[in-house]
Amino acid sequence: MKTDPAAQRRLLDLAAVDAELSRAEHRRRTMPEQTAVEEAERNLRAAADAVVVAQTALSDLDRDVAKLDREVEQVRSREARDQGMLDSGSVSAKQMTELQHELESLARRRSVLEDDQLEVMERQEAAGTNLAHETTAHDAAKITLEDAVERRDGVLGDIGTIEARRGEERTGLVAELPADLVELYDRIRAKGAVGAGELSGNRCGACRLEMDRSELRDIQGAAPDDVVRCDNCGAIVVRGTAA
């Protein structure tokens, strides 16, 4: 293939643009800001789960407290009823004895219930404190995620700006260059290699490897408009004006 040496030199500009686009694409794939967002999302999900667990625990205790409240109130009502019957003086001696025994039994039952009530209320208070703690942690995790998303989106915006600017520049360069030269260059890049590099001394600018004397002699001896390639990486070797 033969191409104007000036066009070959312009190929280095295209390679520089593609290198920056590749760096931008790599940055997009490996950006730590995205990793931070994913970690923040995991933390927020865990915090939300912890809130649900805390809410469930408190709800269960609220139900237990309400149940004990009802039971204590029922016992007190029976005590008041029995005591009222005793105080009325309208019961027989046998009934009086039975009522006194029942009142003693109710008093013991109420004492047990009130002890249980106190214990459950203490647990209820602790569960409320835990729910407040988990809610605060959830709110903090939400803010952390929002901050991480904002930072990531800022970086993505910068990357997008670079990609748009360099994409336009690439389109312009491709339009200026010979189609067959660009086709060869793109085929090389499609294999994962750098498409073109400048010859610097005896070193390929694309792969940075030194050429042996025979290869270097062939490249330097080629006509200026010959398109030559590196034996090591296959890139188009662009020679200086003195080559």
Side-chain angles (χ1 to χ4, degrees):
M1 180 185 295
K2 289 183 176 292
T3 298
D4 183 354
Q8 295 187 47
R9 297 292 301 176
R10 289 289 282 163
L11 201 59
L12 294 176
D13 295 333
L14 181 59
V17 168
D18 282 338
E20 188 167 1
L21 286 170
S22 294
R23 288 192 294 271
E25 193 274 335
H26 176 75
R27 178 80 170 90
R28 183 186 291 276
R29 287 187 292 102
T30 62
M31 54 192 298
E33 292 81 3
Q34 177 61 35
T35 302
V37 167
E38 293 168 359
E39 181 179 358
E41 288 174 338
R42 288 193 296 271
N43 290 339
L44 181 59
R45 286 194 296 269
D49 290 344
V51 169
V52 171
V53 170
Q55 287 174 331
T56 301
L58 180 58
S59 177
D60 290 344
L61 289 168
D62 288 343
R63 185 174 60 252
D64 291 345
V65 168
K67 179 174 180 292
L68 286 169
D69 286 344
R70 290 193 300 271
E71 291 180 354
V72 169
E73 184 58 33
Q74 289 170 356
V75 171
R76 285 175 177 167
S77 295
R78 290 181 61 184
E79 285 180 312
R81 183 201 63 186
D82 290 353
Q83 190 62 50
M85 292 177 64
L86 281 176
D87 294 342
S88 70
S90 61
V91 296
S92 65
K94 180 180 179 182
Q95 288 177 315
M96 183 178 296
T97 299
E98 290 174 350
L99 286 171
Q100 288 172 339
H101 286 186
E102 184 173 351
L103 282 170
E104 291 172 1
S105 176
L106 288 171
R108 289 193 299 270
R109 173 61 176 160
R110 177 166 51 80
S111 177
V112 171
L113 289 172
E114 287 174 344
D115 288 344
D116 291 346
Q117 191 178 39
L118 180 61
E119 177 190 354
V120 174
M121 289 176 68
E122 290 175 348
R123 290 165 54 198
Q124 181 188 40
E125 181 179 1
T129 300
N130 182 58
L131 175 58
H133 170 76
E134 297 297 354
T135 300
T136 299
H138 176 271
D139 292 343
K142 185 177 180 181
I143 292 173
T144 298
L145 175 58
E146 290 171 351
D147 291 344
V149 168
E150 183 177 359
R151 287 192 297 271
R152 180 204 60 189
D153 290 350
V155 173
L156 285 174
D158 293 340
I159 294 173
T161 298
I162 291 172
E163 289 175 333
R165 185 182 300 125
R166 294 296 176 252
E168 291 178 3
E169 188 175 346
R170 187 183 201 280
T171 299
L173 284 168
V174 167
E176 296 173 7
L177 292 169
D180 56 350
L181 181 63
V182 172
E183 182 182 356
L184 173 60
Y185 169 84
D186 284 339
R187 284 205 310 270
I188 296 169
R189 291 188 68 246
K191 297 177 181 178
V194 177
E198 185 172 18
L199 179 64
S200 177
N202 64 344
R203 192 180 298 273
C204 170
C207 63
R208 309 297 182 183
L209 296 177
E210 292 185 354
M211 301 176 180
D212 60 37
R213 293 180 180 179
S214 175
E215 180 184 2
L216 184 61
R217 184 169 56 251
D218 290 342
I219 289 177
Q220 290 176 334
D225 61 349
D226 281 345
V227 176
V228 295
R229 298 175 62 181
C230 173
D231 288 346
N232 292 310
C233 67
I236 298 171
V237 177
V238 179
R239 294 159 288 168
T241 55

